[in-house]
Structure formats: structure tokens, C-alpha cells
Amino acid sequence: MSDNPLKSAMQWLARNPIWSFILLIFIFFSIANPYFFAIQNFKNILVQTSTIGLIALGMTLVMINGNIDLSVGAVVALAASLCVDIQDWHIFAGWGDWAILPAVLAALAAGTLLGALNGLIVWKTGVDSFIVTLGAMLGVRGLVFVYTKEQSFFASNFAFSDFGSSNIGPLPTLAVLFILCTIVVHFLLSHTVHGRNIYAVGGNRAAAVNAGIRVGPHMLVNFMIVGFFAALAGITLSSQMGAATPNLGTNYELWVITSVVLGGTKLNGGAGDIIGTFGGVLAIGILRNGMNLMQVPAFYVLVILGAILIAVLFLDKQLNRKGKEELRL
Amino acid sequence: MIQLMIGRKLDLSRREQAAGSLGEVALQVEGLSCGDLYQDVSFEVREGEVLGFYGLVGAGRTEIAETLFGLRRPTAGTIRLGAEELNHIASPATAIAHGISLVPESRKEQGLVLGMNCRDNMTLPQVGDLTSGPFVSDGAEIAIFDQYRDTLQIKTPSWRQAVGNLSGGNQQKIVIGKWLAMRPRILIVDEPTRGIDVGSKAEIHNLIRKLAGQGYAVIVISSEMPEVLHVSDRIVAMYHGRVMRTFTADEVTEDSLVAAISGIDQGRAA
């Protein structure tokens, strides 16, 4: 009996290899670099992770649904530009710090609306979400350049950038925000009707339709959620810098998808969870931070991350094989 | 000649006739057409009655079921549900709201989410009603699963088992349980015993008879003649998208049924 908890823990790790992987790289960097194992650095990792992490929460829903959203990076840039620009508009001149509120709301609304547009096109045309959001990725990035006239914006109100570097108790505000959102989305996915339907639609769309689920509106909601989180990530990112550039968020869609897939979500849909995604973004965050501290050149970091993604997925496939007798196709 | 084609003798192990106990008309379809798929289909089903649809694959039977369940738009005709007359049923959600349930032809492709556990599959159409506050109520779901596991004698180690790991017969019972749990007025079963073992087949046939006895209006679509003959009170024979003839259980013979569904009967039916 004594080996039972151990055995179930091992089984859990075999099903979720990402956590063993995190443990491994954590120990490695702790030994390899004297600056890694420090409370301040852990806070840094959480803050750095929060941007990709917030988007990954929404992306997990969309990907379990069997869809994908490639436009999130461009939405990050649009939301950041809107948020930093609007708070300096003349009509809000007398509002003081309250000018930040309409700016944040406008940015969130823009992200949610673009998500709704993606979802609406996927629903009404039936075109694959990969193609629709690929178009949106190009189009929205273009919009950002039109809107900003290729200029960067700087927030003149320091309250905005103070928020990005503030703390709640011992933890950075942005890390707290990310963890709260993670908990909310986790319960949304695992304990609500909408969450159940996400798995059903991704697992077997025909069966979901047969069970009376209105698949189109359902997918629309998930695209709105990922759009909202991309905009939120844009706002937090610009508040860290007190500025927004039109190139912000480039390649973020790739980082996000890598994290989500590392966390065990299947590209075909129907499987995945938020705890896995949290592990996935954490793994990417630790790797980037650790290699950064060890002064690995940025381009090598990309090479290593790419190799690790493939290796982890290969390992996952091996661990979850149904034995050697499984049919090989 | 036709007996030679079938290659076996008529074996009617017919259940005792439950005539006289029929309720009111649950569903009446008139002049229903859908492009080239089927034309001018009319029939009615009463509560407590099993209506069989027999024909060759491609005769338009599944398409009629899909139309009644809101998956296809008819091009002509009316559907009368109780007192309500409709030109079409907009979506499966609408059909479910009107008390229609469809156990689809292919349980793996249309009926089940194979990676999902037994309980979640069974409660999928009604999970929206099983909430406490914002969250799904585990207890209510397990109660429904336990009830239909016992009624249908579904063999599974626990509700946590992924449906993909069950046998074909048990999978089909999950689909049937899913729709019985919705307490429909009209239950449509499309090829209910395709690809399942002999024991489960007999169980499902008995279940269909029992459901009719409880007052459900049941439509059974099947390509297996013994099945149609065994469970149906009346049989609609279809050929090339048209209803050739409607038999009552007393007058039907294998010969006349085969003649009807292969179009030999065409002259007489018209």
C-alpha cells in the first residue's frame, strides 16, 4: 500500500510530462547559474510569463475547440497602442488618473470585438480558423501601423507604468492578475456548461451538434475570450514599459501556441486543460529567463526552444502509447 | 423467386400485438420533400407506436430523420407536432425543445464524443439544466447516469471510463440513455443495432418495444428485415426517396416488403 501514492504520482507525471520537465530545468538552472535561484528572479519569471500566459488561457479554450487564433500578436499591439494613446486624448485631459480607465476599456473592447469578428467569419463562412486568423493577423497588424502612423506612443501619465511595476503584498500585481485569471478560466473550463461544451465541440463536432449545442455561437464566444485576453496582455505589456510600439507582440502567437501545446493540449482539439497550459507557459518562462541569465545568445535560445518543443511532444507520445502492440500507422 | 433472393424462410417471432392501446398522433408529416433526396413523404406516428422505416441504403430514410431533427431543411411539406404545425425544424436544439430525439446512424461519428467519459456523454444535451449556481452539478449528473446505467444495464467499470473504451453495444446504450434521459415524446432510432453483438441486439429490440409500451412514439430506421419485422407496429417501405407502401404488422410479409423496397411493386403503389 505504501507505494500507492507514489505510483499514482508517477502516473500523473507520465500523463503530464510538462511538470517533470519544469522540475528538471528548475534544478538545472539553479545549479548552473548563481542568480537564478532568488525570490526576485522568481517574481521576474512570473511577470515575464504573465503576458504570454494570459493569451495562452484564451488560446487553450480555442484550441480545445479544435480552432486556432493566429491574430493574437497583432491584437496585443493594437490594444497596447490604443491604451497608451487614448489616455492622452485631450477630452480626458481633466480626468487625471481616471483617463486610464476609458483607455483600458477601449483596448479590451477592441480585442474582444476583433475576436468576435474572427469567430463570426469562422462560423458564417465555415472557412478554417487557421486561414481566417492568418488573414486577421496580417490585417490587424496593418491596422496598427495605420493607426499609429508607424510611431511609438509613450504614456505621459506615470500612474500607468507604476501599475505595471507595482506589488500586491509580496507579489507583483501583474503576476497576481495572471494567477487570478488562470483560476477563473480553469473553473470556466472544468466546471461550467460552457467548458463542457468546449470539450464536446472539439472532441466530436457532429455529436455536439446532435446534442443540440449551437456550435457557431459557442465558438464565437471562445474567440471573443481569446481576443479579450490578448488585449489584456497588450495592456499589461505596455504598462510594464509605459509605452507601445507598432511591432509589439510580433511572434507572440507562436510563443502562445508552443506553450499551450507543451501543456498537453491537442492540436486536433478535444483534449487539454488550464493546469497543463499553466505548466507550459511556466516552462517557456523559466527556459527564457534561465538562458538569458546564462547569456545564451537570443538566436540560440530560439533553436533550443524549438528542439525542446519537438522533444517534449515526442516524449509525450511515447509515454502515452498503448504499449508496443499498438497499431502503427 | 424473392424467397430465393433472401435465402431463408420467414420466421416471425412476433411479439403480442399491443393494438388498441395507442395514444394520440405525436407526429404527422405531410408531403415532405427535400430536393432529390426524398419526395412527397407522408406518415404519422402515434404515442405508444413503433413505426419502422425499411428500404435500401440511399432510399432517403436517414435524410427524413435528419430533417425531423433539424439537420436538413425540407423543400416542401409540413410537419405537425401535436397541435403545432411547422414548415421546418430550424436546428437540433429546436427539435430537442419540441421533444424529438435522434439516435443517429453512426454512433462513433455523430452520437458520441469518444474521448469523453460515460457520464458527460450521457448528460451532454441537458447539461445546461444541471447547474447549481454557475457550475455544473456533479451530483445531478451522476444521478442521471446511475439511473440509466441500471435501466439499460450498461456495463462499465465507472462513469469515469472514456466511452471509446466500451463495447459497441454499451456505446449504443449510452447514446440511447442520453436521449431517454431527455424524456422525449418522439424517439427516432437510426440503425439501432448496427455493429453490435447478438445479445445486445435483443436487449435493444426489447427496449424499443418497452418504450412504446410506456407511451413513447418511436421511429425505427433499419436495413435489417428481421429487426423491422420484429419491433414495428407499422412499416413504411421506401424506394428511391418515395414511400412505396405502408404495411401494418398483420398484413406484412417478407415477400411483399422486399417487393416494395426494390420497386417491383411500383405499378401497384402508384
Side-chain angles (χ1 to χ4, degrees):
Chain A
M1 286 301 284
S2 64
D3 65 342
N4 252 358
L6 187 71
K7 202 177 161 194
S8 60
M10 291 301 287
Q11 279 173 347
W12 188 82
L13 280 178
R15 280 200 309 273
N16 304 279
I18 187 68
W19 293 100
S20 339
F21 180 70
I22 289 175
L23 197 68
L24 198 75
I25 55 175
F26 187 81
I27 294 170
F28 171 77
F29 284 122
S30 299
I31 295 168
N33 191 286
Y35 301 108
F36 179 80
F37 197 90
I39 299 292
Q40 187 53 46
N41 190 45
F42 297 158
K43 288 183 188 173
N44 280 345
I45 292 176
L46 274 179
V47 172
Q48 289 160 2
T49 303
S50 69
T51 313
I52 298 288
L54 284 171
I55 311 172
L57 297 177
M59 189 70 89
T60 307
L61 308 187
V62 169
M63 285 176 68
I64 295 176
N65 238 186
N67 291 315
I68 204 158
D69 188 349
L70 297 175
S71 67
V72 288
V75 171
V76 164
L78 184 72
S81 302
L82 280 173
C83 182
V84 175
D85 185 39
I86 288 176
Q87 55 183 280
D88 281 344
W89 280 4
H90 289 301
I91 49 167
F92 300 127
W95 289 41
D97 288 351
W98 286 103
I100 295 171
L101 185 69
V104 167
L105 291 180
L108 291 176
T112 313
L113 274 176
L114 284 172
L117 189 64
N118 279 334
L120 201 66
I121 297 173
V122 170
W123 169 16
K124 290 297 182 190
T125 65
V127 176
D128 198 283
S129 60
F130 185 92
I131 303 299
V132 172
T133 58
L134 186 69
M137 170 178 132
L138 299 170
V140 173
R141 182 67 69 183
L143 267 181
V144 174
F145 281 106
V146 170
Y147 178 76
T148 61
K149 301 188 181 67
E150 297 181 54
Q151 300 296 310
S152 295
F153 294 131
F154 299 93
S156 56
N157 187 344
F158 287 113
F160 184 61
S161 42
D162 286 346
F163 173 80
S165 53
S166 63
N167 289 292
I168 294 177
L171 284 171
T173 309
L174 296 185
V176 173
L177 180 70
F178 170 48
I179 289 166
L180 282 180
C181 289
T182 305
I183 293 168
V184 169
V185 179
H186 172 73
F187 276 99
L188 172 74
L189 183 59
S190 60
H191 285 84
T192 68
V193 176
H194 183 74
R196 180 71 56 79
N197 291 349
I198 289 176
Y199 286 106
V201 170
N204 186 344
R205 187 169 167 164
V209 171
N210 187 269
I213 298 170
R214 296 176 198 273
V215 170
H218 168 85
M219 296 196 306
L220 177 78
V221 170
N222 289 323
F223 277 105
M224 288 170 74
I225 292 173
V226 74
F228 172 85
F229 276 117
L232 186 61
I235 294 164
T236 60
L237 190 62
S238 61
S239 82
Q240 285 176 55
M241 306 184 300
T245 67
N247 277 319
L248 211 62
T250 310
N251 288 346
Y252 271 30
E253 57 281 343
L254 301 180
W255 290 111
V256 170
I257 292 165
T258 307
S259 315
V260 174
V261 171
L262 267 182
T265 298
K266 300 278 176 284
L267 280 167
N268 314 340
D273 56 49
I274 291 295
I275 296 173
T277 294
F278 186 72
V281 290
L282 215 56
I284 297 272
I286 291 173
L287 278 170
R288 288 173 85 175
N289 174 279
M291 287 194 276
N292 212 350
L293 288 177
M294 292 175 72
Q295 297 177 334
V296 178
F299 300 122
Y300 288 104
V301 172
L302 293 178
V303 175
I304 293 168
L305 282 173
I308 285 173
L309 173 69
I310 295 170
V312 168
L313 291 186
F314 174 71
L315 191 71
D316 180 53
K317 205 171 173 181
Q318 292 300 314
L319 287 171
N320 290 311
R321 252 178 202 286
K322 290 183 180 141
K324 284 196 193 308
E325 66 274 18
E326 190 186 35
L327 188 64
R328 286 164 194 273
L329 290 172
Chain B
M1 168 65 184
I2 286 165
Q3 280 206 4
L4 284 175
M5 278 165 59
I6 307 166
R8 63 186 146 69
K9 290 288 273 181
L10 186 67
D11 171 32
L12 287 182
S13 52
R14 190 80 55 75
R15 77 262 163 258
E16 65 280 13
Q17 191 68 25
S21 65
L22 297 184
E24 53 190 281
V25 177
L27 169 74
Q28 187 171 18
V29 169
E30 263 183 59
L32 202 67
S33 304
C34 183
D36 295 336
L37 295 170
Y38 57 85
Q39 297 86 33
D40 199 21
V41 171
S42 303
F43 62 88
E44 60 171 39
V45 205
R46 293 174 169 273
E47 288 172 352
E49 181 186 40
V50 179
L51 180 67
F53 271 79
Y54 187 64
L56 300 170
V57 172
R61 299 163 302 158
T62 296
E63 288 76 7
I64 293 173
E66 286 167 348
T67 310
L68 294 175
F69 197 60
L71 289 162
R72 280 181 200 277
R73 284 287 169 95
T75 47
T78 56
I79 301 166
R80 183 185 283 273
L81 287 158
E84 208 175 341
E85 189 166 304
L86 304 164
N87 287 322
H88 69 270
I89 291 167
S91 71
T94 319
I96 291 168
H98 278 101
I100 303 176
S101 288
L102 170 66
V103 175
E105 189 176 14
S106 161
R107 61 178 166 271
K108 287 191 177 179
E109 271 129 50
Q110 299 154 281
L112 295 166
V113 184
L114 291 175
M116 214 178 222
N117 66 45
C118 296
R119 182 199 71 181
D120 293 1
N121 263 294
M122 196 178 272
T123 56
L124 196 57
Q126 57 176 322
V127 70
D129 299 327
L130 303 176
T131 52
S132 60
F135 297 131
V136 174
S137 156
D138 263 358
E141 281 196 280
I142 293 172
I144 286 178
F145 175 76
D146 284 349
Q147 184 190 342
Y148 286 93
R149 182 197 57 204
D150 295 344
T151 316
L152 304 177
Q153 296 176 316
I154 298 169
K155 291 172 199 73
T156 170
S158 102
W159 61 261
R160 290 185 179 81
Q161 188 68 234
V163 158
N165 298 338
L166 300 187
S167 73
N170 283 309
Q171 287 183 351
Q172 187 72 332
K173 286 183 193 171
I174 297 260
V175 183
I176 293 174
K178 171 167 90 171
W179 291 115
L180 290 186
M182 298 300 291
R183 308 194 169 280
R185 286 187 73 204
I186 302 155
L187 179 68
I188 307 171
V189 286
D190 195 350
E191 302 288 357
T193 61
R194 177 177 287 175
I196 69 179
D197 63 282
V198 180
S200 302
K201 267 189 192 186
E203 279 182 58
I204 287 175
H205 290 160
N206 292 337
L207 178 72
I208 290 171
R209 286 310 315 171
K210 213 165 85 188
L211 291 173
Q214 289 166 8
Y216 288 93
V218 187
I219 296 176
V220 176
I221 299 170
S222 179
S223 305
E224 288 180 49
M225 185 178 284
E227 179 165 289
V228 173
L229 290 172
H230 180 60
V231 302
S232 312
D233 294 312
R234 287 186 300 129
I235 300 170
V236 176
M238 289 195 68
Y239 172 71
H240 267 284
R242 288 185 177 277
V243 173
M244 301 309 291
R245 198 175 156 191
T246 304
F247 298 89
T248 64
D250 298 326
E251 67 183 10
V252 68
T253 63
E254 286 202 12
D255 289 1
S256 56
L257 198 51
V258 168
I261 63 132
S262 49
I264 297 169
D265 214 14
Q266 212 154 13
R268 222 172 64 202

